[in-house]
Every structure is written in C-alpha cells, then in structure tokens.
Amino acid sequence: MKQLKFLMIAFTLLMGISLTSCLDSGDNESAYDGGGYLRTVHYMGSSYFVDLSGYKYYPTEASLATMKANYGFDIDKADLVFIYYKNVETETSESSTTGKYIQLVSAEAIDSYRAVTKSSESDMEATVTDNAPINTLNPMDNYGNTYKPMLYGDEMIILPVLWKMENKAETMAQHSFSLVYIDKEIQTSSTELVFYLRHDKGTDTKTDANAFSYKAYVVKDIMAKFKGVTGRYPAKVTIKAKVATDGTTMPETYTDYSMDSSVLNQNSGSSTQN
C-alpha cells in the first residue's frame, strides 16, 4: 500500500539546540557556516532571529526572499525556526558581541503553539479532545536516525510526532495536537514536570498512511512557576501520550517519554555563535 512520505524537515539532521559550526578543515568551503533552532523576534515592523543567550541573527532581505520563493518560508509568520546559514562578512553595523548578519541557506518554521493549562485531569478530558493515538514520539527516518522529544532551553518543548491518517496531503489539516499541563499543587520537593499530548483527528476516519511533523510548545511560564515553588527547574520533563504502534487502537494507558532537563539548573539559556 502506498504511503505518504514522512513530511520531514530535510535539514534537521543537525539536532543540537545551540548553533554548531560545520566549516570544512580543508580548502573546500562548506555550504553553510552554522545552523540550529532559533526563536523569531518581530519588532517595529522587522523580524530577526535570536538564540537562547540573546544573540541576534539578522537575515539578508535577498536570502529571505529566496526562502519564501523556494520553500514558502515567511519570517513574519514564524516563531521557532530551524535554519542553516552563511555568515555575511561585509555587514559590520551590528556589533559582533550582540549579533551578526547572515545569509539563509535553508529555513523551516516549526509548528508552534502554547501549552494548555487545565485545573485537573477531568477538566482536560472534558475540554481537550483526544480521540486518536499517535504511533510514537521516537520516530526513525529512512537513514536510521531516531528523533526524540527535546527542550529548547526553558522556553519550548519540541516533539517529533508520528501518526496515522488518510493517504491524502490535505488531510494533515484535520489533525491537531495539544500539550496539556495539569495545574496540580507543586511541592517544594517536586523534581518532575508532566505534560499530556492530546491528538484530535478531526473528521479523518482512515489510517492508511504515516504522517510526521515537528510540534513545538511554549512552556516558559509553566517552567517559571515550577522554579518559583521548588527553587529549581525540574530534573525531568515527561510527556504522556496514548500510543498505538498500529495507529488505530486507542489504548487505555499512557506511554511516557521523558527528557532529562537537569542541565537547565546548571546552564540555563546558554548557546554559542559561529
């Protein structure tokens, strides 16, 4: 049976949160100087990128136009992005200590949402639809690379979601995913922060194709609340989801996907520039 190809971001082989250099050590110049996840800032009619340390990346107008024409990337509509870029050596008006100009080689906006807060599990069940399982949050691509949930500092949670749907590209719009936090009383001794991933399949009734997409959720306020009560960030963040490998049977129990977030307590918001 024919299946939709994974709607993979082609350039997410570089999965690091901080920007990493990929310059060749020899005479041949690489196609790009760096790449990684960045947030988009929209300010006074202009937009640029910023990393977790606050360092700014100003894309050239020409490269933005190319990204929009070739990939449909619109910086004015983006929040979290994954980019590869070349440094622009001739632009010097921005201090190198706070930012730099770049030429985009590739750019992809990650579907971004705000995590939902509910007062109880019964409140969540009554108000946030969960009528279809996911296949996994640890999908493997055709090259053998396994993808996992990850943190973008204390700001966002990024989930690689694989699910089943009708074998039509337009059916993607029927499926929505919500990340829910249950606002229970946090104890000063708490070390784990738990979220629930909810999948609403809309009007789609078929499961004959695999679909994949990255979903990012803003959790900064929830992280801040946890830290305010406990005096530290959580050592572990757990995502609970209803998982079925066949993508059809809704299970009774949750599968847990955990991320070690203890690094947030050691070095919150660090990054490197290239």
Side-chain angles (χ1 to χ4, degrees):
M1 181 182 294
K2 258 188 177 180
Q3 291 194 338
L4 289 176
K5 292 181 179 179
F6 282 171
L7 303 180
M8 300 287 287
I9 299 169
F11 38 84
T12 50
L13 295 181
L14 176 58
M15 293 298 293
I17 292 177
S18 61
L19 302 184
T20 58
S21 174
C22 61
L23 287 176
D24 291 342
S25 57
D27 295 331
N28 295 328
E29 185 181 4
S30 171
Y32 51 88
D33 294 334
Y37 286 105
L38 300 171
R39 297 292 296 275
T40 305
V41 174
H42 308 287
Y43 179 71
M44 299 291 287
S46 64
S47 299
Y48 56 89
F49 307 119
V50 62
D51 66 19
L52 287 168
S53 69
Y55 193 82
K56 301 171 184 176
Y57 300 78
Y58 299 92
T60 64
E61 291 297 329
S63 66
L64 281 173
T66 299
M67 293 301 105
K68 191 168 186 177
N70 293 349
Y71 306 111
F73 175 76
D74 188 344
I75 190 173
D76 294 326
K77 297 179 180 179
D79 181 5
L80 183 71
V81 301
F82 191 95
I83 67 169
Y84 279 143
Y85 66 86
K86 291 283 289 182
N87 293 322
V88 179
E89 305 295 345
T90 57
E91 297 282 0
T92 58
S93 60
E94 178 66 25
S95 169
S96 61
T97 61
T98 60
K100 65 181 176 183
Y101 288 89
I102 59 172
Q103 176 183 334
L104 293 172
V105 175
S106 57
E108 182 77 14
I110 309 300
D111 291 341
S112 300
Y113 315 89
R114 294 197 69 86
V116 178
T117 298
K118 294 297 177 179
S119 59
S120 64
E121 290 186 32
S122 59
D123 182 21
M124 175 182 71
E125 293 291 344
T127 59
V128 185
T129 301
D130 190 28
N131 56 21
I134 65 168
N135 284 70
T136 183
L137 293 180
N138 289 154
M140 179 183 293
D141 66 19
N142 295 332
Y143 301 98
N145 300 300
T146 299
Y147 300 91
K148 298 180 179 181
M150 61 181 293
L151 293 168
Y152 183 74
D154 66 342
E155 296 182 8
M156 304 186 85
I157 291 174
I158 306 171
L159 302 178
V161 186
L162 178 67
W163 72 96
K164 292 281 190 179
M165 64 176 229
E166 184 180 7
N167 193 20
K168 292 182 179 179
E170 57 267 27
T171 310
M172 286 282 290
Q174 293 295 322
H175 292 258
S176 60
F177 299 85
S178 300
L179 191 68
V180 181
Y181 164 67
I182 305 299
D183 192 16
K184 295 180 179 178
E185 184 177 356
I186 301 172
Q187 306 296 322
T188 57
S189 60
S190 298
T191 60
E192 181 184 20
L193 187 56
V194 176
F195 294 89
Y196 295 81
L197 182 66
R198 312 279 285 180
H199 177 196
D200 183 356
K201 65 182 180 180
T203 60
D204 186 12
T205 61
K206 298 183 178 180
T207 57
D208 53 355
N210 288 326
F212 174 89
S213 181
Y214 278 100
K215 306 293 182 182
Y217 299 89
V218 178
V219 296
K220 191 173 182 65
D221 291 347
I222 298 169
M223 285 280 196
K225 180 176 182 179
F226 188 98
K227 187 178 181 182
V229 173
T230 66
R232 66 189 75 84
Y233 288 114
K236 182 170 72 171
V237 174
T238 297
I239 310 298
K240 290 181 174 289
K242 296 290 182 69
V243 176
T245 55
D246 63 2
T248 60
T249 306
M250 195 69 169
E252 294 291 331
T253 59
Y254 289 100
T255 297
D256 290 356
Y257 296 86
S258 294
M259 296 168 280
D260 181 359
S261 57
S262 58
V263 67
L264 294 179
N265 292 305
Q266 302 166 18
N267 191 17
S268 177
S270 64
S271 186
T272 59
Q273 296 81 45
N274 301 283

